[in-house]
Amino acid sequence: MNSYNFAYLDEQTKRMIRRAILKGLAVPGYQVPFASREMPMPYGWGTGGVQVSAAIMTPADRFKVIDQGSDDTTNAVSIRRFFERTAGVEVTETTTEATVIQTRHRIPEMPLTSGQILVYQVPIPEPLRFLEPSEVETRKMHSLEEYGLMHVKLYEDISQHGAIATAYAYPVKVEGRYVMDPSPIPKFDNPKLESPAIQLFGAGREQRIYALPPHTRVVSLDFEDFPFEANKADAACELCAADTSYLDEVIMDDAGHRMFVCSDTDFCASRRAAGHAGIQEAAI
Amino acid sequence: MASEALTGGFANAPHAAAIAFRGAMRAMAMPGVIEHIEGAAGPAPLSPAASALLLTLCDPETPIYLAGIHDTAAVRDWITFHTGAPLTDRARAMFALGTWDALAPHDAYAIGTSEYPDRAATLIVEMPALTAEGARLTGPGIEKEAALNLPDIPFCQANAALYPLGVDLFLTHGNAVAALPRSTKVR
Ligand SMILES: [Zn+2]
């Protein structure tokens, strides 16, 4: 016997979260309130995602955690260990082997498949928050589909910057009904929100859960004259030569040399293992 | 309380509930997909699937309405012992359990409010059979089209027309469970 509940949370808490997840799946993009619990980690560490993962985890799962694409940040490692210890699940860094993937700020490059579950850590679930600080008002706006202000704000972006400047947490409309915050993923990832996987979003501090069933229609907000563009740095990964993956610009040395590398470390590593080499690798 | 009430629960509740929930979640996420959930056996006429759903989702926070032949002393005792859920009427129920006909009138259940569409009832409908044929389903969770033998196509169409309000259905038969959330369009 270990001293933990299975997946840390007590059964009543898991039931409450499970009910919220089911209602979230029944009304895609709608934010279901839930009573968030204290978790043995700070809020910035994705306690909403952790609670959702805890509520859906089964002993047979293989669990992967990515933090901005990487499996080996302190945050990713400690969440992975947490479920290894409390749920006894296997863990993996390989996207294709994982049954449950918890993520902060990225969608894996490798297309997800039916049966996989992607759990997002969400800091601010309310896409209208920057327009309207009052929860009472934003709730009313969602209920009335009052999304005009959102469009005005995006259009202002265009007139000021010549393009929509919002690069992360780019708002989407779900099944033609709810405007949803996809969490701070780069807008490059937005097209991947239409997926065969089940996608669940957990916001711990704000106590909201929302969901996208497989194949749900997810449209990034845009305008006829300024269509949505899922852009990335115009370069190839210097380690694996991928030119279609999302790239981070990293500082190499004290002299300030920089290079572009895949943000998705598993994607990059598996390409290199398959023999792909970028200009840095070739030079070595 | 009869001794029957004390049996039929999950052997290892945290594991069994987690596995049953995964099946229920997959069913709700992919309307028309038939999952099998096991490990629970309430008194007749409760199906194993409905038993497992009750144990996985219900507790003192979730008032339940029992309809028709499911409203027996044995079923009531079993639910009280294993979940602690209070029994209530249709309008106040978060969960309702019964055959389709017994659950009527079907418009008597909570459908949520425009600001809180999640405050809608979930109906657990015991079916004489569950097969991937009959009504054509489209919508979230369905790549192109799915098929399912729904109990009442006109009701399901009217329910979908209420979207984002409406009730959500679990359909159960033996160990099998499928779901029809309000988001599914039915032909
Ligand atoms: Zn790379």
Side-chain angles (χ1 to χ4, degrees):
Chain A
M1 262 320 265
N2 64 38
S3 53
Y4 295 101
N5 294 308
F6 175 70
Y8 185 78
L9 293 173
D10 63 89
E11 289 304 292
Q12 184 154 356
T13 299
K14 279 185 278 189
R15 274 193 298 272
M16 177 266 296
I17 295 172
R18 286 166 180 164
R19 293 192 296 263
I21 289 170
L22 293 179
K23 288 305 176 195
L25 287 165
V27 189
Y30 164 73
Q31 302 163 50
V32 184
F34 81 109
S36 185
R37 293 293 190 261
E38 289 289 326
M39 298 300 285
M41 53 194 76
Y43 271 122
W45 284 39
T47 57
V50 169
Q51 288 176 84
V52 169
S53 291
I56 65 160
M57 199 74 74
T58 72
D61 275 314
R62 277 186 309 283
F63 186 52
K64 171 182 164 83
V65 185
I66 48 171
D67 180 3
Q68 304 207 345
S70 167
D71 294 87
D72 40 9
T73 70
T74 311
N75 187 331
V77 170
S78 69
I79 293 172
R80 202 161 61 228
R81 287 212 181 117
F82 177 76
F83 283 104
E84 229 176 349
R85 213 170 55 235
T86 62
V89 292
E90 279 185 49
V91 295
T92 181
E93 297 190 6
T94 308
T95 299
T96 50
E97 286 177 359
T99 55
V100 177
I101 302 171
Q102 183 172 325
T103 181
R104 175 172 172 270
H105 302 187
R106 275 310 311 276
I107 299 176
E109 301 291 348
M110 198 64 80
L112 299 179
T113 55
S114 176
Q116 289 185 302
I117 301 168
L118 185 59
V119 177
Y120 294 77
Q121 302 174 195
V122 182
I124 302 167
E126 179 48 74
L128 308 175
R129 182 62 70 233
F130 72 97
L131 295 169
E132 173 54 65
S134 155
E135 165 68 19
V136 175
E137 288 304 315
T138 54
R139 190 161 284 280
K140 202 175 290 169
M141 290 160 78
H142 283 294
S143 79
L144 300 170
E145 293 188 76
E146 241 178 55
Y147 296 131
L149 267 178
M150 188 87 195
H151 284 272
V152 169
K153 152 76 175 116
L154 287 178
Y155 209 87
E156 279 174 4
D157 250 27
I158 294 172
S159 50
Q160 283 171 21
H161 306 283
I164 295 173
T166 307
Y168 298 91
Y170 190 99
V172 296
K173 197 158 195 187
V174 178
E175 283 291 321
R177 179 56 182 83
Y178 285 99
V179 168
M180 186 191 98
D181 181 321
S183 87
I185 55 173
K187 67 179 181 176
F188 173 81
D189 282 342
N190 273 28
K192 290 184 257 174
L193 290 162
E194 281 195 352
S195 169
I198 295 173
Q199 298 174 85
L200 305 173
F201 299 77
R205 191 182 45 230
E206 306 256 341
Q207 313 205 78
R208 294 290 182 276
I209 286 170
Y210 49 104
L212 296 173
H215 311 293
T216 298
R217 278 187 296 128
V218 180
V219 177
S220 301
L221 300 184
D222 68 353
F223 302 92
E224 247 171 55
D225 40 346
F226 292 97
F228 173 79
E229 213 181 332
N231 53 354
K232 64 184 257 299
D234 187 17
C237 172
E238 292 179 32
L239 296 178
C240 78
D243 58 4
T244 56
S245 66
Y246 190 74
L247 302 173
D248 286 336
E249 194 174 14
V250 298
I251 297 169
M252 294 286 291
D253 53 30
D254 293 343
H257 289 114
R258 292 159 175 273
M259 73 168 182
F260 284 110
V261 296
C262 293
S263 130
D264 184 331
T265 51
D266 169 59
F267 177 78
C268 196
S270 37
R271 278 181 56 84
R272 278 179 284 155
H276 296 278
I279 52 171
Q280 287 292 336
E281 287 278 290
I284 294 166
Chain B
M1 186 179 284
S3 65
E4 193 184 14
L6 310 181
T7 62
F10 285 138
N12 176 341
H15 283 196
I19 293 164
F21 176 70
R22 179 65 66 83
M25 180 177 87
R26 286 173 51 85
M28 191 61 82
M30 296 178 277
V33 167
I34 298 173
E35 293 282 320
H36 292 84
I37 56 178
E38 285 161 12
L46 265 180
S47 68
S51 305
L53 287 176
L54 293 172
L55 296 189
T56 303
L57 299 173
C58 297
D59 58 29
E61 309 292 314
T62 61
I64 301 178
Y65 171 70
L66 296 176
I69 56 168
H70 287 79
D71 186 18
T72 68
V75 173
R76 285 195 297 267
D77 285 351
W78 189 81
I79 288 173
T80 303
F81 177 76
H82 289 281
T83 75
L87 299 172
T88 186
D89 56 15
R90 290 183 183 84
R92 274 181 281 255
M94 278 179 69
F95 290 87
L97 170 69
T99 63
W100 184 252
D101 288 344
L103 286 164
H106 303 100
D107 60 1
Y109 300 95
I111 57 169
T113 67
S114 64
E115 295 188 5
Y116 293 94
D118 54 303
R119 295 179 181 172
T122 302
L123 275 47
I124 301 173
V125 185
E126 297 268 39
M127 300 280 290
L130 203 50
T131 55
E133 55 192 24
R136 317 305 289 182
L137 316 181
T138 56
I142 302 166
E143 185 170 11
K144 292 191 175 71
E145 191 175 77
L148 195 62
N149 64 320
L150 297 180
D152 184 342
I153 291 177
F155 173 83
C156 295
Q157 290 171 330
N159 188 53
L162 298 171
Y163 189 86
L165 306 189
V167 296
D168 306 305
L169 311 184
F170 277 117
L171 309 175
T172 51
H173 174 74
N175 281 310
V177 60
L180 191 82
R182 64 193 92 166
S183 59
T184 304
K185 288 162 204 75
V186 175
R187 281 185 293 122

